Amino acid sequence: MKKIILCLLILIPFMGQAQHYKGKVFITNDNGRQEPAAAAAVFWAPVTEKENVTSVVYTDEDGSFIIAAGASRALVASYMGYAQDTIYVQGPSQAVEFVLYEDAGALETLDILGRQKGNFISRLTPIKTEVITAAGLCKMACCNLAESFENSASVTVGYADAVTGARQIRLLGLSGNYTQMLEENRPAMRGIQMPFGFSFVPGQWLESIQIAKGTGSVINGYDAVTGQINMEYRKPTSQLPLFINLFLNDALRTEANVISALQLSDRWSTVTLAHVAADFLPHDSDKDGFLDEPLTHRYQLANRWLYEHPSGAQVRFGLRGLHEDRKGGQKDHVWTLPGQQQNATHWGSRIVNQGLNAFLKLGIPLVAHDHDHEDDEHDEHDAHDDHNHDHDHIDPNIALVLDYNLHKQDAYFGRKDFNALQHDFFANALFMSSLGAHHKITLGLSAKLERLQQGLWDRWWGGGETFFDLSRKEDVYGGFGEYTYNADDRFVFIAGARADYNTLFGWLFTPRANVRYNFTDHMVLRASAGRGFRSPYAITDNIGVLSTGRRLLFEGTPVLEEAWTYGLNLTFDLPFGFEEASTFSVEYFRTDFKKQLIADQEIMWDAAVPSIVFYNLDGRSFTNTYQADLTTELFRGFTLLATFRYNQSKVELKGQGLVDRPLTSKYKGVLNLQYTTPSSTWVFDVTGQLNGPARIPSFKAIQEEVYSPVFPMFYAQITYKINKVEIYAGGENLLNYRQPNAILSADDPFSPSFNASVIWGPLMGTRIYGGLRFTL
């Protein structure tokens, strides 16, 4: 620790020597409205004609940039397809703002000065936020949301079991159930949608992903415990008349995405997104009689609209439909529809998901103004991520968000039947305004209504069966407030609190705070603390328990889960890198549970019928997470991303005391290398992972500490760009590493020892794929 502090003290003078200028770059769209320009190039104009452009920097996702002083006083901003602009600056105290306009001849004469980063840590957010951009989503196939995190050490992706294909994530050493999922800052993937929800989001539908660690803002509810993952979809204003993405791998997994954005008038624009995916061939590489991955057919269609009024008011609304059918289990099983007579001689699973989502977002400025871009940005994010734009002045405005979800799931898992129907409605009404130069407030009211019908027939070895009626009606009504103090972007303090009445659990109080302090323009400290609550969904939170031969038991009534999360992050620039300074970040987060629902497979090992027992935590449950990230461009076009995370995740289980949380890896390292040729024609991408050991549940009378082995994973992709077409090919799990014996007692699937839920490693071997992207 003393060496680390000494190194930091040595580096601080290097980071504080030069003066630095801050500003933003905006582009003007077809409707004449201004939008932030992400990855725009900013540089000092050469003093003489013989000099070359040096020290190019690129804007963040909100158009912001920081650049060191140069020999010239002429600062230039450039963006593909737009005429570049030059501003003569007087001193660092001057806020620089560029507004770029389309240039008819720009595409013929523009030199490409830089490329959008795939992953980066936002410099301006008070909360430590990792951003995966559209370029990052193209580093690998990224067919769905789960596959978009392979370059991130913050998020670990795995399988809930070895037969259904349900993907799950872990953030800060805990299940993704404790991460609040957001779609453009609207709560998403709630309840029964969660087990398969990551497959419901096509990667090519997304514009970016923001991963914020900690409890975050109170605006979206009290559900965030370990963090928030926000998904930004392609917008109606994206000027994308036609985009087609086709994908095929060696297992004949086929996917297609078609997206079209149309500007219908100065006020109306729309985007339509279509997705089709299918697995055609059964595969059983390990010869255990079970399919390596389920045969899945999925269809999705979405339509989103935007109306912009000259006053600055905006209305956004959309509709999305989903149908998915996945068949897993033994390859000789005859798959009938859920509810029909099943083939009892082979173990099979069939899950049918059907969903409908509708949303409406309204933003209205309360005063007339000339700076349209401020409301554009504010309305685009529904005022929810105001903390991401704390440096901007906010004129008084109101926003209304309405969201409705209908999801139906009918399924069987061997002899267990599970059927669920969920309706949920979310409403948020907000008022936002700056109070002078340094203060800002957000006030609001919210409501969440859920109607859940859920039934489970649990049948186990020996002829026993039990029916569980897990239906519930839960309403939450709340009010919240958030205060922001911004001292010239050097010090930002956000304090928020909300009070909610839950019809099942009574009154809840949720305080949260976030601080950002800039020691220099190149060294930022962030701290956060807050409380989170969560209503548990016993079965869908632990969907893998249905892929076992064990009996399910409940001890007591599940309580509302409650936890406190604290975090500290230090991000600073290092004095090396090709065009931009390299970025290094270190962080520590701790989560302490006060109440939690435990699904324990190890407690009843001596029972006549082995069981999985659900009970409320009686003792301690916590995680400590340490992480370091480094990003740098070693030479033109060659970037390096290296991250390492260490987890200490503990839980107190009955009869065992405090033990490592089952199936949670102790550490993960990621190294991503990317090279783009000077003409941007070829892109080469390689990713390596090192996954640490995880404690494997013990099913023996004598409890043993058994851990999975350390294993590597490698991915590679090559992309060739020609005109409007990108052709890509790559491979996943190139070392062909697979978890051995992923299904326990696969040869006797109706026995009590059958278990497909003990998953710590990859289930599929090497996969080779190819595809193309066409943009008009």
PDB file of all heavy atoms in Angstrom, residues 255-287:
ATOM      1  N   GLU A 255     -28.840 -15.788 -37.067  1.00  0.00           N
ATOM      2  CA  GLU A 255     -29.516 -14.591 -36.579  1.00  0.00           C
ATOM      3  C   GLU A 255     -29.537 -13.524 -37.661  1.00  0.00           C
ATOM      4  O   GLU A 255     -28.628 -13.449 -38.494  1.00  0.00           O
ATOM      5  CB  GLU A 255     -28.830 -14.033 -35.323  1.00  0.00           C
ATOM      6  CG  GLU A 255     -28.882 -14.965 -34.136  1.00  0.00           C
ATOM      7  CD  GLU A 255     -28.708 -14.235 -32.809  1.00  0.00           C
ATOM      8  OE1 GLU A 255     -28.754 -12.989 -32.800  1.00  0.00           O
ATOM      9  OE2 GLU A 255     -28.520 -14.921 -31.790  1.00  0.00           O
ATOM     10  N   ALA A 256     -30.584 -12.708 -37.615  1.00  0.00           N
ATOM     11  CA  ALA A 256     -30.701 -11.587 -38.548  1.00  0.00           C
ATOM     12  C   ALA A 256     -31.345 -10.417 -37.823  1.00  0.00           C
ATOM     13  O   ALA A 256     -32.307 -10.598 -37.062  1.00  0.00           O
ATOM     14  CB  ALA A 256     -31.527 -11.976 -39.768  1.00  0.00           C
ATOM     15  N   ASN A 257     -30.803  -9.228 -38.052  1.00  0.00           N
ATOM     16  CA  ASN A 257     -31.363  -7.992 -37.514  1.00  0.00           C
ATOM     17  C   ASN A 257     -31.536  -7.009 -38.660  1.00  0.00           C
ATOM     18  O   ASN A 257     -30.625  -6.827 -39.475  1.00  0.00           O
ATOM     19  CB  ASN A 257     -30.442  -7.374 -36.456  1.00  0.00           C
ATOM     20  CG  ASN A 257     -30.331  -8.235 -35.218  1.00  0.00           C
ATOM     21  OD1 ASN A 257     -31.238  -8.267 -34.403  1.00  0.00           O
ATOM     22  ND2 ASN A 257     -29.217  -8.958 -35.084  1.00  0.00           N
ATOM     23  N   VAL A 258     -32.686  -6.369 -38.711  1.00  0.00           N
ATOM     24  CA  VAL A 258     -32.961  -5.337 -39.714  1.00  0.00           C
ATOM     25  C   VAL A 258     -33.471  -4.108 -38.962  1.00  0.00           C
ATOM     26  O   VAL A 258     -34.410  -4.194 -38.170  1.00  0.00           O
ATOM     27  CB  VAL A 258     -34.005  -5.798 -40.742  1.00  0.00           C
ATOM     28  CG1 VAL A 258     -34.285  -4.683 -41.750  1.00  0.00           C
ATOM     29  CG2 VAL A 258     -33.530  -7.056 -41.459  1.00  0.00           C
ATOM     30  N   ILE A 259     -32.838  -2.956 -39.222  1.00  0.00           N
ATOM     31  CA  ILE A 259     -33.189  -1.709 -38.547  1.00  0.00           C
ATOM     32  C   ILE A 259     -33.342  -0.609 -39.581  1.00  0.00           C
ATOM     33  O   ILE A 259     -32.514  -0.486 -40.495  1.00  0.00           O
ATOM     34  CB  ILE A 259     -32.109  -1.324 -37.508  1.00  0.00           C
ATOM     35  CG1 ILE A 259     -31.943  -2.448 -36.481  1.00  0.00           C
ATOM     36  CG2 ILE A 259     -32.443  -0.006 -36.823  1.00  0.00           C
ATOM     37  CD1 ILE A 259     -30.747  -2.276 -35.585  1.00  0.00           C
ATOM     38  N   SER A 260     -34.385   0.183 -39.433  1.00  0.00           N
ATOM     39  CA  SER A 260     -34.616   1.283 -40.358  1.00  0.00           C
ATOM     40  C   SER A 260     -35.124   2.492 -39.597  1.00  0.00           C
ATOM     41  O   SER A 260     -36.123   2.401 -38.872  1.00  0.00           O
ATOM     42  CB  SER A 260     -35.634   0.879 -41.432  1.00  0.00           C
ATOM     43  OG  SER A 260     -35.897   1.971 -42.300  1.00  0.00           O
ATOM     44  N   ALA A 261     -34.422   3.615 -39.725  1.00  0.00           N
ATOM     45  CA  ALA A 261     -34.833   4.877 -39.110  1.00  0.00           C
ATOM     46  C   ALA A 261     -35.240   5.852 -40.211  1.00  0.00           C
ATOM     47  O   ALA A 261     -34.529   5.998 -41.209  1.00  0.00           O
ATOM     48  CB  ALA A 261     -33.705   5.466 -38.268  1.00  0.00           C
ATOM     49  N   LEU A 262     -36.365   6.494 -40.038  1.00  0.00           N
ATOM     50  CA  LEU A 262     -36.894   7.404 -41.054  1.00  0.00           C
ATOM     51  C   LEU A 262     -37.229   8.749 -40.434  1.00  0.00           C
ATOM     52  O   LEU A 262     -37.841   8.817 -39.359  1.00  0.00           O
ATOM     53  CB  LEU A 262     -38.150   6.817 -41.705  1.00  0.00           C
ATOM     54  CG  LEU A 262     -37.990   5.474 -42.435  1.00  0.00           C
ATOM     55  CD1 LEU A 262     -39.342   4.974 -42.904  1.00  0.00           C
ATOM     56  CD2 LEU A 262     -37.038   5.632 -43.616  1.00  0.00           C
ATOM     57  N   GLN A 263     -36.833   9.839 -41.098  1.00  0.00           N
ATOM     58  CA  GLN A 263     -37.215  11.199 -40.712  1.00  0.00           C
ATOM     59  C   GLN A 263     -38.434  11.572 -41.551  1.00  0.00           C
ATOM     60  O   GLN A 263     -38.318  11.907 -42.724  1.00  0.00           O
ATOM     61  CB  GLN A 263     -36.064  12.167 -40.970  1.00  0.00           C
ATOM     62  CG  GLN A 263     -34.714  11.677 -40.467  1.00  0.00           C
ATOM     63  CD  GLN A 263     -34.689  11.456 -38.969  1.00  0.00           C
ATOM     64  OE1 GLN A 263     -35.105  12.327 -38.216  1.00  0.00           O
ATOM     65  NE2 GLN A 263     -34.209  10.302 -38.546  1.00  0.00           N
ATOM     66  N   LEU A 264     -39.614  11.493 -40.957  1.00  0.00           N
ATOM     67  CA  LEU A 264     -40.843  11.705 -41.715  1.00  0.00           C
ATOM     68  C   LEU A 264     -41.133  13.178 -41.957  1.00  0.00           C
ATOM     69  O   LEU A 264     -41.788  13.534 -42.937  1.00  0.00           O
ATOM     70  CB  LEU A 264     -42.012  11.053 -40.975  1.00  0.00           C
ATOM     71  CG  LEU A 264     -41.855   9.544 -40.699  1.00  0.00           C
ATOM     72  CD1 LEU A 264     -43.061   9.020 -39.940  1.00  0.00           C
ATOM     73  CD2 LEU A 264     -41.658   8.772 -41.994  1.00  0.00           C
ATOM     74  N   SER A 265     -40.690  14.052 -41.052  1.00  0.00           N
ATOM     75  CA  SER A 265     -40.887  15.494 -41.197  1.00  0.00           C
ATOM     76  C   SER A 265     -39.945  16.189 -40.234  1.00  0.00           C
ATOM     77  O   SER A 265     -39.123  15.540 -39.584  1.00  0.00           O
ATOM     78  CB  SER A 265     -42.344  15.870 -40.890  1.00  0.00           C
ATOM     79  OG  SER A 265     -42.642  15.685 -39.518  1.00  0.00           O
ATOM     80  N   ASP A 266     -40.071  17.497 -40.115  1.00  0.00           N
ATOM     81  CA  ASP A 266     -39.236  18.229 -39.170  1.00  0.00           C
ATOM     82  C   ASP A 266     -39.540  17.842 -37.737  1.00  0.00           C
ATOM     83  O   ASP A 266     -38.717  18.050 -36.848  1.00  0.00           O
ATOM     84  CB  ASP A 266     -39.443  19.744 -39.337  1.00  0.00           C
ATOM     85  CG  ASP A 266     -38.875  20.250 -40.661  1.00  0.00           C
ATOM     86  OD1 ASP A 266     -38.048  19.518 -41.247  1.00  0.00           O
ATOM     87  OD2 ASP A 266     -39.255  21.348 -41.086  1.00  0.00           O
ATOM     88  N   ARG A 267     -40.723  17.289 -37.498  1.00  0.00           N
ATOM     89  CA  ARG A 267     -41.130  16.984 -36.132  1.00  0.00           C
ATOM     90  C   ARG A 267     -41.220  15.492 -35.828  1.00  0.00           C
ATOM     91  O   ARG A 267     -41.100  15.088 -34.685  1.00  0.00           O
ATOM     92  CB  ARG A 267     -42.478  17.647 -35.834  1.00  0.00           C
ATOM     93  CG  ARG A 267     -42.445  19.166 -35.969  1.00  0.00           C
ATOM     94  CD  ARG A 267     -43.754  19.782 -35.495  1.00  0.00           C
ATOM     95  NE  ARG A 267     -43.746  21.240 -35.649  1.00  0.00           N
ATOM     96  CZ  ARG A 267     -44.713  22.042 -35.224  1.00  0.00           C
ATOM     97  NH1 ARG A 267     -45.787  21.521 -34.630  1.00  0.00           N
ATOM     98  NH2 ARG A 267     -44.629  23.348 -35.392  1.00  0.00           N
ATOM     99  N   TRP A 268     -41.466  14.672 -36.833  1.00  0.00           N
ATOM    100  CA  TRP A 268     -41.710  13.249 -36.609  1.00  0.00           C
ATOM    101  C   TRP A 268     -40.557  12.398 -37.153  1.00  0.00           C
ATOM    102  O   TRP A 268     -40.074  12.627 -38.265  1.00  0.00           O
ATOM    103  CB  TRP A 268     -43.008  12.808 -37.268  1.00  0.00           C
ATOM    104  CG  TRP A 268     -44.242  13.250 -36.540  1.00  0.00           C
ATOM    105  CD1 TRP A 268     -44.985  14.366 -36.808  1.00  0.00           C
ATOM    106  CD2 TRP A 268     -44.870  12.604 -35.429  1.00  0.00           C
ATOM    107  NE1 TRP A 268     -46.043  14.450 -35.938  1.00  0.00           N
ATOM    108  CE2 TRP A 268     -46.003  13.384 -35.069  1.00  0.00           C
ATOM    109  CE3 TRP A 268     -44.598  11.448 -34.699  1.00  0.00           C
ATOM    110  CZ2 TRP A 268     -46.846  13.039 -34.022  1.00  0.00           C
ATOM    111  CZ3 TRP A 268     -45.436  11.104 -33.645  1.00  0.00           C
ATOM    112  CH2 TRP A 268     -46.547  11.894 -33.317  1.00  0.00           C
ATOM    113  N   SER A 269     -40.142  11.407 -36.362  1.00  0.00           N
ATOM    114  CA  SER A 269     -39.169  10.418 -36.819  1.00  0.00           C
ATOM    115  C   SER A 269     -39.502   9.080 -36.157  1.00  0.00           C
ATOM    116  O   SER A 269     -40.132   9.028 -35.095  1.00  0.00           O
ATOM    117  CB  SER A 269     -37.736  10.839 -36.480  1.00  0.00           C
ATOM    118  OG  SER A 269     -37.597  11.104 -35.105  1.00  0.00           O
ATOM    119  N   THR A 270     -39.073   8.004 -36.790  1.00  0.00           N
ATOM    120  CA  THR A 270     -39.403   6.664 -36.278  1.00  0.00           C
ATOM    121  C   THR A 270     -38.282   5.696 -36.613  1.00  0.00           C
ATOM    122  O   THR A 270     -37.513   5.906 -37.564  1.00  0.00           O
ATOM    123  CB  THR A 270     -40.733   6.164 -36.875  1.00  0.00           C
ATOM    124  OG1 THR A 270     -41.068   4.901 -36.298  1.00  0.00           O
ATOM    125  CG2 THR A 270     -40.625   6.002 -38.381  1.00  0.00           C
ATOM    126  N   VAL A 271     -38.179   4.637 -35.836  1.00  0.00           N
ATOM    127  CA  VAL A 271     -37.230   3.571 -36.108  1.00  0.00           C
ATOM    128  C   VAL A 271     -37.934   2.238 -35.871  1.00  0.00           C
ATOM    129  O   VAL A 271     -38.674   2.082 -34.907  1.00  0.00           O
ATOM    130  CB  VAL A 271     -35.955   3.698 -35.242  1.00  0.00           C
ATOM    131  CG1 VAL A 271     -36.281   3.603 -33.761  1.00  0.00           C
ATOM    132  CG2 VAL A 271     -34.926   2.633 -35.625  1.00  0.00           C
ATOM    133  N   THR A 272     -37.712   1.304 -36.790  1.00  0.00           N
ATOM    134  CA  THR A 272     -38.266  -0.045 -36.689  1.00  0.00           C
ATOM    135  C   THR A 272     -37.114  -1.030 -36.563  1.00  0.00           C
ATOM    136  O   THR A 272     -36.134  -0.946 -37.308  1.00  0.00           O
ATOM    137  CB  THR A 272     -39.111  -0.379 -37.929  1.00  0.00           C
ATOM    138  OG1 THR A 272     -40.185   0.572 -38.032  1.00  0.00           O
ATOM    139  CG2 THR A 272     -39.703  -1.777 -37.814  1.00  0.00           C
ATOM    140  N   LEU A 273     -37.227  -1.951 -35.610  1.00  0.00           N
ATOM    141  CA  LEU A 273     -36.178  -2.929 -35.338  1.00  0.00           C
ATOM    142  C   LEU A 273     -36.784  -4.326 -35.383  1.00  0.00           C
ATOM    143  O   LEU A 273     -37.778  -4.599 -34.704  1.00  0.00           O
ATOM    144  CB  LEU A 273     -35.536  -2.678 -33.971  1.00  0.00           C
ATOM    145  CG  LEU A 273     -35.018  -1.263 -33.694  1.00  0.00           C
ATOM    146  CD1 LEU A 273     -36.055  -0.490 -32.858  1.00  0.00           C
ATOM    147  CD2 LEU A 273     -33.700  -1.288 -32.938  1.00  0.00           C
ATOM    148  N   ALA A 274     -36.197  -5.201 -36.187  1.00  0.00           N
ATOM    149  CA  ALA A 274     -36.678  -6.578 -36.312  1.00  0.00           C
ATOM    150  C   ALA A 274     -35.534  -7.548 -36.020  1.00  0.00           C
ATOM    151  O   ALA A 274     -34.374  -7.282 -36.362  1.00  0.00           O
ATOM    152  CB  ALA A 274     -37.231  -6.825 -37.708  1.00  0.00           C
ATOM    153  N   HIS A 275     -35.879  -8.678 -35.400  1.00  0.00           N
ATOM    154  CA  HIS A 275     -34.863  -9.657 -35.017  1.00  0.00           C
ATOM    155  C   HIS A 275     -35.433 -11.061 -35.177  1.00  0.00           C
ATOM    156  O   HIS A 275     -36.562 -11.348 -34.755  1.00  0.00           O
ATOM    157  CB  HIS A 275     -34.451  -9.432 -33.558  1.00  0.00           C
ATOM    158  CG  HIS A 275     -33.629 -10.546 -32.970  1.00  0.00           C
ATOM    159  ND1 HIS A 275     -32.282 -10.674 -33.194  1.00  0.00           N
ATOM    160  CD2 HIS A 275     -33.979 -11.584 -32.157  1.00  0.00           C
ATOM    161  CE1 HIS A 275     -31.839 -11.734 -32.553  1.00  0.00           C
ATOM    162  NE2 HIS A 275     -32.839 -12.312 -31.911  1.00  0.00           N
ATOM    163  N   VAL A 276     -34.645 -11.951 -35.772  1.00  0.00           N
ATOM    164  CA  VAL A 276     -34.998 -13.364 -35.919  1.00  0.00           C
ATOM    165  C   VAL A 276     -33.766 -14.180 -35.562  1.00  0.00           C
ATOM    166  O   VAL A 276     -32.645 -13.863 -35.996  1.00  0.00           O
ATOM    167  CB  VAL A 276     -35.446 -13.697 -37.354  1.00  0.00           C
ATOM    168  CG1 VAL A 276     -35.749 -15.180 -37.470  1.00  0.00           C
ATOM    169  CG2 VAL A 276     -36.661 -12.873 -37.756  1.00  0.00           C
ATOM    170  N   ALA A 277     -33.951 -15.227 -34.754  1.00  0.00           N
ATOM    171  CA  ALA A 277     -32.836 -16.106 -34.387  1.00  0.00           C
ATOM    172  C   ALA A 277     -33.345 -17.535 -34.321  1.00  0.00           C
ATOM    173  O   ALA A 277     -34.481 -17.788 -33.915  1.00  0.00           O
ATOM    174  CB  ALA A 277     -32.236 -15.691 -33.041  1.00  0.00           C
ATOM    175  N   ALA A 278     -32.484 -18.474 -34.726  1.00  0.00           N
ATOM    176  CA  ALA A 278     -32.886 -19.883 -34.708  1.00  0.00           C
ATOM    177  C   ALA A 278     -31.663 -20.775 -34.594  1.00  0.00           C
ATOM    178  O   ALA A 278     -30.591 -20.482 -35.137  1.00  0.00           O
ATOM    179  CB  ALA A 278     -33.669 -20.234 -35.974  1.00  0.00           C
ATOM    180  N   ASP A 279     -31.809 -21.887 -33.853  1.00  0.00           N
ATOM    181  CA  ASP A 279     -30.816 -22.963 -33.794  1.00  0.00           C
ATOM    182  C   ASP A 279     -31.437 -24.167 -34.484  1.00  0.00           C
ATOM    183  O   ASP A 279     -32.484 -24.665 -34.059  1.00  0.00           O
ATOM    184  CB  ASP A 279     -30.480 -23.305 -32.344  1.00  0.00           C
ATOM    185  CG  ASP A 279     -29.792 -22.171 -31.622  1.00  0.00           C
ATOM    186  OD1 ASP A 279     -28.587 -21.996 -31.819  1.00  0.00           O
ATOM    187  OD2 ASP A 279     -30.474 -21.452 -30.861  1.00  0.00           O
ATOM    188  N   PHE A 280     -30.785 -24.642 -35.533  1.00  0.00           N
ATOM    189  CA  PHE A 280     -31.397 -25.672 -36.377  1.00  0.00           C
ATOM    190  C   PHE A 280     -30.910 -27.086 -36.081  1.00  0.00           C
ATOM    191  O   PHE A 280     -31.643 -28.053 -36.306  1.00  0.00           O
ATOM    192  CB  PHE A 280     -31.147 -25.349 -37.845  1.00  0.00           C
ATOM    193  CG  PHE A 280     -31.871 -24.123 -38.325  1.00  0.00           C
ATOM    194  CD1 PHE A 280     -31.188 -22.942 -38.533  1.00  0.00           C
ATOM    195  CD2 PHE A 280     -33.237 -24.150 -38.558  1.00  0.00           C
ATOM    196  CE1 PHE A 280     -31.847 -21.813 -38.979  1.00  0.00           C
ATOM    197  CE2 PHE A 280     -33.907 -23.024 -38.997  1.00  0.00           C
ATOM    198  CZ  PHE A 280     -33.216 -21.846 -39.214  1.00  0.00           C
ATOM    199  N   LEU A 281     -29.655 -27.234 -35.616  1.00  0.00           N
ATOM    200  CA  LEU A 281     -29.102 -28.576 -35.459  1.00  0.00           C
ATOM    201  C   LEU A 281     -28.844 -28.892 -33.994  1.00  0.00           C
ATOM    202  O   LEU A 281     -28.271 -28.078 -33.263  1.00  0.00           O
ATOM    203  CB  LEU A 281     -27.790 -28.707 -36.229  1.00  0.00           C
ATOM    204  CG  LEU A 281     -27.888 -28.733 -37.757  1.00  0.00           C
ATOM    205  CD1 LEU A 281     -26.490 -28.901 -38.357  1.00  0.00           C
ATOM    206  CD2 LEU A 281     -28.790 -29.866 -38.228  1.00  0.00           C
ATOM    207  N   PRO A 282     -29.243 -30.088 -33.527  1.00  0.00           N
ATOM    208  CA  PRO A 282     -28.903 -30.503 -32.153  1.00  0.00           C
ATOM    209  C   PRO A 282     -27.427 -30.907 -32.079  1.00  0.00           C
ATOM    210  O   PRO A 282     -26.890 -31.527 -33.002  1.00  0.00           O
ATOM    211  CB  PRO A 282     -29.832 -31.691 -31.913  1.00  0.00           C
ATOM    212  CG  PRO A 282     -30.107 -32.240 -33.278  1.00  0.00           C
ATOM    213  CD  PRO A 282     -30.086 -31.070 -34.219  1.00  0.00           C
ATOM    214  N   HIS A 283     -26.777 -30.550 -30.960  1.00  0.00           N
ATOM    215  CA  HIS A 283     -25.366 -30.888 -30.775  1.00  0.00           C
ATOM    216  C   HIS A 283     -25.168 -31.481 -29.383  1.00  0.00           C
ATOM    217  O   HIS A 283     -25.710 -30.981 -28.396  1.00  0.00           O
ATOM    218  CB  HIS A 283     -24.481 -29.643 -30.927  1.00  0.00           C
ATOM    219  CG  HIS A 283     -24.421 -29.123 -32.327  1.00  0.00           C
ATOM    220  ND1 HIS A 283     -23.486 -29.531 -33.244  1.00  0.00           N
ATOM    221  CD2 HIS A 283     -25.199 -28.218 -32.971  1.00  0.00           C
ATOM    222  CE1 HIS A 283     -23.680 -28.901 -34.387  1.00  0.00           C
ATOM    223  NE2 HIS A 283     -24.722 -28.100 -34.235  1.00  0.00           N
ATOM    224  N   ASP A 284     -24.353 -32.537 -29.324  1.00  0.00           N
ATOM    225  CA  ASP A 284     -24.012 -33.178 -28.054  1.00  0.00           C
ATOM    226  C   ASP A 284     -22.533 -33.550 -28.098  1.00  0.00           C
ATOM    227  O   ASP A 284     -22.162 -34.701 -28.282  1.00  0.00           O
ATOM    228  CB  ASP A 284     -24.885 -34.420 -27.835  1.00  0.00           C
ATOM    229  CG  ASP A 284     -24.549 -35.142 -26.530  1.00  0.00           C
ATOM    230  OD1 ASP A 284     -23.957 -34.505 -25.644  1.00  0.00           O
ATOM    231  OD2 ASP A 284     -24.865 -36.348 -26.413  1.00  0.00           O
ATOM    232  N   SER A 285     -21.675 -32.538 -27.934  1.00  0.00           N
ATOM    233  CA  SER A 285     -20.238 -32.740 -28.103  1.00  0.00           C
ATOM    234  C   SER A 285     -19.640 -33.625 -27.025  1.00  0.00           C
ATOM    235  O   SER A 285     -18.685 -34.370 -27.281  1.00  0.00           O
ATOM    236  CB  SER A 285     -19.517 -31.383 -28.107  1.00  0.00           C
ATOM    237  OG  SER A 285     -20.010 -30.565 -29.148  1.00  0.00           O
ATOM    238  N   ASP A 286     -20.160 -33.562 -25.788  1.00  0.00           N
ATOM    239  CA  ASP A 286     -19.572 -34.352 -24.709  1.00  0.00           C
ATOM    240  C   ASP A 286     -20.213 -35.727 -24.561  1.00  0.00           C
ATOM    241  O   ASP A 286     -19.892 -36.471 -23.632  1.00  0.00           O
ATOM    242  CB  ASP A 286     -19.638 -33.595 -23.384  1.00  0.00           C
ATOM    243  CG  ASP A 286     -21.058 -33.166 -23.035  1.00  0.00           C
ATOM    244  OD1 ASP A 286     -21.985 -33.496 -23.803  1.00  0.00           O
ATOM    245  OD2 ASP A 286     -21.232 -32.490 -22.007  1.00  0.00           O
ATOM    246  N   LYS A 287     -21.154 -36.037 -25.450  1.00  0.00           N
ATOM    247  CA  LYS A 287     -21.747 -37.380 -25.509  1.00  0.00           C
ATOM    248  C   LYS A 287     -22.415 -37.812 -24.205  1.00  0.00           C
ATOM    249  O   LYS A 287     -22.391 -38.990 -23.832  1.00  0.00           O
ATOM    250  CB  LYS A 287     -20.679 -38.422 -25.893  1.00  0.00           C
ATOM    251  CG  LYS A 287     -19.874 -38.091 -27.126  1.00  0.00           C
ATOM    252  CD  LYS A 287     -20.745 -37.923 -28.363  1.00  0.00           C
ATOM    253  CE  LYS A 287     -19.910 -37.616 -29.605  1.00  0.00           C
ATOM    254  NZ  LYS A 287     -20.750 -37.361 -30.797  1.00  0.00           N
TER     255      LYS A 287
END
